[in-house]
Amino acid sequence: MPQRTTYRRLFTIPGTRAFTTGNLIARLPAGMFSVSAVVMIAGSRGSYALAGAVTATGLAATAVTAPWIARLIDRHGQSRTAVPATAVAVLGSLSLLLCVHYGAPDWTLFAAYAATATTPNTGGMSRARWAHLLADAPESLHTANSFEQAADELCFMLGPALAAFLCGTFFPEAGTLAGAVLLITGTLIFTAQRRTEPPTRPTPKGSSPLRTPGIPPLIAGFVATGAVFGAMEVATLAYADAAGDRTAGGAVLALQAAGSCAAGLLYGKRKPTGPPEHRLRCCLLAMSTLMSLPLLAASTLDSLPALATALLLAGTATAPTMITTMTLLQHRTPEGRLNEGMSLAVTGLLLGIACGSATGGWVAEHASPTAGFLVPVAAATTALLIGVPGRPTP
């Protein structure tokens, strides 16, 4: 079946176009806020160290808060929980903007940005809707998960570019202001689509996903995969800077996201065969193999065009890995705890990105930018070694 027919049929389900539109609008700011905050704070206070510390604090707060917000969504519903949670996050963003603009003490920046941690996992809520609508159609759910992963890649590819454009073209606070408007607008559109909203579970069945057999290894795999992303980003930026073309780093990284986005859409076109555990092992093997290409390009060819090509190819392995892991997570998460389970996956990714960024930055600074590419290779190999223990899912 042609790819466009597959996705067109997916969106013939009543209500799916509306909630997807709102979700994409709300999801775009996820790639905007951190870049906007760094530009805004560094430009006003003259300190990238302060800007980095503020965004790291927000990341840590999100890792703690996200599972709690997701648990409330499972119990009380997406519309009742996501709207007030988003309102708090938007107030946090606007508070940060005002604190920076009016020269408030540094500690207020940390407090304001930490409040943005209440931002609900819009991608997880969208996947939960697909899982509810396509509970009896595993092939269609595979296609829906592929679309959602491609949307993630697209938003994280466009978000930073849009933020940088707004901050540079208009005024330093423009990226944060636009992100806040997009977040609240998209969330209101998304939550207004009540007929596709999954039913609530005031008393969810089973234990917490973290105590459910088969899920902890998946979360550990998300941490390792996040480390791949974080380390690759820092290593690429450091390599571009050392090559004397710092501005090219973002464009080169965008190629990795583009490769992942295209691979995700093509992967959704394919009919899944065999248990997802087997498919995930194949994806992890491909990812651990392809992540060596940027290292080879940097160490042997020593050119940015070669690195860009290698990143484009390496990116083709990440989306299928994420899609298949999400599918397994949906199968293994106890009934009524799907948002919580997917939020834990995002928390694992964020933790991995933070660890990968820190490790990759340390290696790039103390060894060499080229050596920094060893870190994503090691992280991908770790994900492969963690594997997927457990009984195959039918």
Side-chain angles (χ1 to χ4, degrees):
M1 184 185 301
Q3 179 179 334
R4 65 176 187 174
T5 303
T6 301
Y7 289 103
R8 181 185 301 153
R9 290 186 177 182
L10 191 67
F11 288 101
T12 58
I13 302 172
T16 55
R17 292 185 181 182
F19 85 70
T20 298
T21 299
N23 187 268
L24 289 176
I25 295 173
R27 203 184 304 191
L28 183 60
M32 297 176 61
F33 281 133
S34 61
V35 173
S36 299
V38 168
V39 172
M40 185 170 58
I41 295 171
S44 174
R45 305 296 170 94
S47 173
Y48 277 98
L50 175 62
V54 169
T55 55
T57 299
L59 186 66
T62 299
V64 174
T65 306
W68 176 67
I69 296 293
R71 193 176 301 121
L72 292 176
I73 290 173
D74 282 328
R75 294 185 179 181
H76 303 291
Q78 293 183 352
S79 57
R80 288 184 61 188
T81 305
V83 173
T86 300
V88 172
V90 168
L91 288 174
S93 293
L94 296 179
S95 298
L96 176 68
L97 186 153
L98 293 174
C99 289
V100 173
H101 185 75
Y102 289 103
D106 290 350
W107 68 264
T108 62
L109 310 186
F110 290 90
Y113 200 70
T116 65
T118 62
T119 305
N121 178 12
T122 51
M125 290 193 297
S126 187
R127 287 179 173 92
R129 292 201 179 208
W130 287 117
H132 167 62
L133 295 171
L134 304 173
D136 299 323
E139 291 184 16
S140 297
L141 181 58
H142 168 76
T143 302
N145 283 334
S146 301
F147 170 80
E148 290 296 327
Q149 186 60 38
D152 276 341
E153 302 290 348
L154 183 64
C155 289
F156 278 100
M157 183 169 56
L158 296 179
L162 177 60
F165 170 77
L166 291 173
C167 294
T169 304
F170 299 100
F171 47 92
E173 299 87 356
T176 298
L177 185 60
V181 172
L182 288 171
L183 178 60
I184 192 66
T185 301
T187 300
L188 290 174
I189 295 173
F190 177 79
T191 55
Q193 316 309 315
R194 298 293 185 92
R195 61 177 173 174
T196 55
E197 184 174 345
T200 59
R201 295 284 180 177
T203 55
K205 296 181 180 179
S207 59
S208 166
L210 279 178
R211 296 195 295 269
T212 301
I215 289 185
L218 294 179
I219 302 301
F222 276 112
V223 174
T225 303
V228 173
F229 300 152
M232 189 67 78
E233 178 177 348
V234 172
T236 300
L237 294 176
Y239 184 86
D241 192 12
D245 197 353
R246 179 183 301 177
T247 57
V252 171
L253 281 171
L255 286 175
Q256 181 185 3
S260 183
C261 180
L265 291 173
L266 291 173
Y267 189 65
K269 173 186 173 182
R270 296 180 63 252
K271 177 181 178 180
T273 57
E277 287 85 355
H278 174 70
R279 299 201 304 272
L280 182 54
R281 290 187 185 97
C282 294
C283 290
L284 290 171
L285 179 60
M287 185 172 72
S288 63
T289 301
L290 291 178
M291 284 302 153
S292 64
L293 294 180
L295 175 63
L296 291 174
S299 59
T300 59
L301 300 178
D302 194 22
S303 74
L304 276 175
L307 177 62
T309 303
L311 284 171
L312 178 68
L313 294 174
T316 61
T318 55
T321 300
M322 294 288 294
I323 292 163
T324 310
T325 311
M326 280 292 185
T327 299
L328 259 176
L329 187 68
Q330 289 170 344
H331 286 318
R332 294 181 175 183
T333 300
E335 186 177 353
R337 293 184 179 270
L338 188 55
N339 281 290
E340 183 180 353
M342 286 189 288
S343 180
L344 287 170
V346 172
T347 298
L349 275 174
L350 292 176
L351 177 61
I353 290 172
C355 294
S357 297
T359 306
W362 188 92
V363 172
E365 181 175 341
H366 290 84
S368 69
T370 298
F373 290 105
L374 285 168
V375 181
V377 174
T381 303
T382 300
L384 177 63
L385 293 176
I386 291 172
V388 194
R391 184 176 302 174
T393 303

